[in-house]
Amino acid sequence: MDQHLGAGEEPTNDEISRHRNLLTDVNVNVDKTTWERLWPVIACGAGLFFDGYLNGVIGSVSTMLSAIYSKEYVDSSAQSNVAAIAFVGQVVGQLFFGWTSDHWSRKWSLFISTLIVIFFAILCTASYGAGGSPYGLFAALTAYRFFLGIGVGGEYPAGSVACAESTGELKAGRRHTWFILFTNVQIDLGFVVAAIVPMILVLITGEHRAGLMIAWRVSLGLGIIPPLSLLYLRFKLKEPESFRRGTMARTHTPWLLCIKYYWFRLVVVATIWFLYDFSAYSYGLLSSQLLTNLLGSDSKLWVSFGWNTLLTFFYMPGCILGSFLSDWVGPRNALGYSVLLQGIIGFILAGVYSYAAQPQYIAGFVVIYGVFIALGELGSGDNIGLIAFKTCATAVRGKYYGIVAAAGKTGAFVGSKTLILLYNHYYKAGETAKAGAYPFYISSSLCMLSAALALFCLPRIGQDTIEEEDAKFKAYLERNGYDVSKMGLNPLAGDGGVAGRGTVERAKAG
């Protein structure tokens, strides 16, 4: 992979070693307790819980809206727009906050994105059409979810990146585990809660029109609580140490050098994330509808939601086991071999779909489908974000991460449109076997492509890759005429822009 990196003058090993030595180990030089090192990881990463919840719950909300407005909702573009439009907003948010988190602040980018989520989550809950018009309701909900997506999008380049950089202060050997536990595991936990809540609410309110009207609003309204609970912690955050050392916020960004150095990795990581979200989010939206149709029109809605809850639980063993697997075998191998196996399971499920997708076999179908989902989280779900932040330097990490995450959400938007439209096309035509099997054929083929890209095009990623990558990048920039002494929030001449807390404090005292 490294042969694709770099254009212009390549740094020597001695130059890289010099910059590596300047990047002081914050675990040694900064006197912090375990909790002081850990709570920024939690505060930055745990917000992805509401990404999972707000994106996951809309599938069940859409099913309830279909039951309430059986003609207006189902026969309009609203059914796909309400579910998918948040992904468009997330792309905008990821790109915008990716820039601000590099050029302004990780902390304040994250704080502002959280405020956006809270405000538009409230508006989504209170969505209303003028004069009680259902079409006005759909339009309002669609618009609010777009802006909600912008706020959620900020969680990736601001929250996840700050979370990742904060793990650099934790003990080596478990850094990948901690990062995953407070990023992808949070997203998947959000998906699980998003499946449980609508089922419980429908049981409480009943399946009549008035009850479902309450249930869908409360389902969205509960999504306001998680970002509110993190607001104070995020206000108290400080900038991560690696950001303080490596940012270009006080100098100019050498765009051409950055592009020449990272373009190949960027394309590979963005493609893998696109392929993962294409399947993962679209199946999250499709599963409730698929199970409802599988059970038949005579089945209670809460029964469909119950099976969807069981199916969604498969996210958790996959993502939790994957968090440890990433430290054991490395993110590249964990991703590559897991999605390879996922693709094989998907092809099997597609091949037997016409037999397995019968009401009497629903338990077996859910188990196989669940294993398919779990392997996706074990591989791409857990590791794609980790790979994204560790394959670039701190100075450009927000923009790099924002771009590849935006590629992922573009995949989610395209997948949610493509797979749901494909499913509905064949289902309405009475070809139920094709309706269910074709999405699995498509997703499984994409899994094989992801596995090939990961195993053959990604570099090895270790515990200290952040420091290694920063050293290589600074040596490369210096070799090509860029003044790296101006990098960092407290740039000091003669130290390559690297200033640990102790160095900065001594400089201020003197």
Side-chain angles (χ1 to χ4, degrees):
M1 172 65 191
D2 285 342
Q3 68 267 25
H4 297 282
L5 296 180
E9 294 293 327
E10 287 292 318
T12 65
N13 289 334
D14 288 341
E15 289 171 329
I16 294 172
S17 296
R18 179 171 63 83
H19 281 281
R20 187 185 298 117
N21 292 334
L22 288 171
L23 288 166
T24 55
D25 186 347
V26 295
N27 287 313
V28 173
N29 295 298
V30 179
D31 184 19
K32 292 183 178 179
T33 65
T34 301
W35 172 245
E36 286 175 326
R37 297 174 192 272
L38 185 59
W39 82 261
V41 177
I42 299 171
C44 294
L48 289 176
F49 173 86
F50 54 78
D51 174 17
Y53 181 85
L54 292 169
N55 280 322
V57 79
I58 200 65
S60 296
V61 167
S62 185
T63 301
M64 286 187 267
L65 291 174
S66 298
I68 298 168
Y69 306 103
S70 56
K71 181 174 176 57
E72 298 95 330
Y73 189 70
V74 176
D75 293 341
S76 73
S77 59
Q79 186 174 22
S80 60
N81 288 341
V82 167
I85 196 65
F87 298 134
V88 180
Q90 284 179 254
V91 170
V92 175
Q94 286 161 338
L95 295 176
F96 175 75
F97 286 108
W99 189 89
T100 63
S101 68
D102 274 346
H103 290 273
W104 177 39
S105 167
R106 302 277 201 251
K107 169 186 174 175
W108 292 113
S109 296
L110 181 59
F111 188 77
I112 290 174
S113 69
T114 308
L115 290 177
I116 293 173
V117 170
I118 293 169
F119 181 71
F120 284 100
I122 293 171
L123 290 182
C124 285
T125 305
S127 297
Y128 180 74
S133 166
Y135 297 106
L137 167 64
F138 305 152
L141 186 57
T142 301
Y144 297 149
R145 279 190 59 80
F146 169 78
F147 289 104
L148 176 75
I150 292 177
V152 173
E155 286 294 317
Y156 288 81
S160 293
V161 165
C163 173
E165 290 169 349
S166 297
T167 62
E169 299 185 39
L170 299 174
K171 183 179 179 181
R174 285 291 176 263
R175 291 173 180 173
H176 298 165
T177 299
W178 283 115
F179 173 77
I180 293 169
L181 286 175
F182 288 102
T183 51
N184 191 57
V185 172
Q186 297 302 308
I187 296 177
D188 289 345
L189 182 59
F191 275 128
V192 172
V193 175
I196 295 172
V197 165
M199 179 188 69
I200 295 174
L201 289 173
V202 168
L203 280 171
I204 294 171
T205 63
E207 298 189 20
H208 48 83
R209 181 185 176 90
L212 293 178
M213 289 286 284
I214 296 172
W216 79 259
R217 289 186 185 276
V218 175
S219 294
L220 292 181
L222 290 174
I224 302 167
I225 297 174
L228 270 175
S229 67
L230 288 172
L231 198 60
Y232 177 73
L233 281 178
R234 291 180 167 188
F235 180 76
K236 298 292 288 182
L237 280 173
K238 295 181 180 179
E239 302 292 355
E241 292 290 344
S242 60
F243 175 77
R244 297 179 65 83
R245 297 192 311 253
T247 180
M248 291 177 176
R250 299 195 178 201
T251 184
H252 72 282
T253 302
W255 293 102
L256 186 59
L257 286 176
C258 294
I259 292 169
K260 286 180 177 179
Y261 194 71
Y262 280 124
W263 73 268
F264 184 81
R265 284 189 186 180
L266 183 72
V267 171
V268 171
V269 177
T271 302
I272 295 174
W273 206 328
F274 177 96
L275 298 177
Y276 165 66
D277 277 8
F278 181 97
S279 297
Y281 280 92
S282 53
Y283 271 113
L285 297 172
L286 182 62
S287 59
S288 177
Q289 181 181 353
L290 188 152
L291 290 168
T292 299
N293 293 335
L294 174 60
L295 290 166
S297 57
D298 295 333
S299 176
K300 295 286 188 180
L301 185 60
W302 74 266
V303 175
S304 170
F305 285 169
W307 281 109
N308 188 46
T309 299
L310 177 61
L311 180 63
T312 309
F313 265 115
F314 280 89
Y315 282 105
M316 298 313 297
C319 66
I320 292 173
L321 177 60
S323 68
F324 296 98
L325 185 67
S326 184
D327 274 322
W328 294 337
V329 304
R332 178 181 61 186
N333 290 335
L335 190 155
Y337 291 113
S338 294
V339 295
L340 181 64
L341 185 56
Q342 183 190 21
I344 294 171
I345 297 295
F347 280 127
I348 294 173
L349 187 55
V352 302
Y353 185 86
S354 58
Y355 303 101
Q358 303 292 332
Q360 63 270 31
Y361 302 133
I362 188 170
F365 173 79
V366 166
V367 169
I368 300 174
Y369 189 1
V371 171
F372 175 83
I373 289 173
L375 287 169
E377 298 311 298
L378 184 78
S380 298
D382 276 358
N383 293 285
I384 187 59
L386 183 63
I387 288 169
F389 93 78
K390 283 208 168 186
T391 51
C392 65
T394 298
V396 295
R397 186 169 292 125
K399 294 184 287 292
Y400 181 102
Y401 200 100
I403 290 170
V404 296
K409 286 302 182 276
T410 302
F413 177 78
V414 173
S416 63
K417 286 284 189 180
T418 304
L419 295 190
I420 290 175
L421 289 174
L422 180 68
Y423 178 86
N424 287 337
H425 170 75
Y426 284 106
Y427 185 81
K428 290 177 181 179
E431 299 183 85
T432 56
K434 289 182 179 179
Y438 282 5
F440 282 106
Y441 278 125
I442 293 171
S443 294
S444 299
S445 299
L446 298 182
C447 285
M448 297 300 179
L449 177 57
S450 292
L453 288 172
L455 295 173
F456 296 108
C457 297
L458 288 177
R460 177 191 171 276
I461 294 171
Q463 296 288 311
D464 298 319
T465 300
I466 289 180
E467 288 77 14
E468 292 288 330
E469 195 63 38
D470 281 353
K472 290 178 182 178
F473 186 60
K474 286 188 174 184
Y476 169 78
L477 292 178
E478 188 176 55
R479 184 72 156 164
N480 286 275
Y482 183 81
D483 185 2
V484 298
S485 68
K486 295 181 180 179
M487 294 173 67
L489 293 182
N490 297 279
L492 297 173
D495 73 343
V498 179
R501 177 185 291 177
T503 307
V504 174
E505 289 177 348
R506 286 191 297 273
K508 289 180 177 178

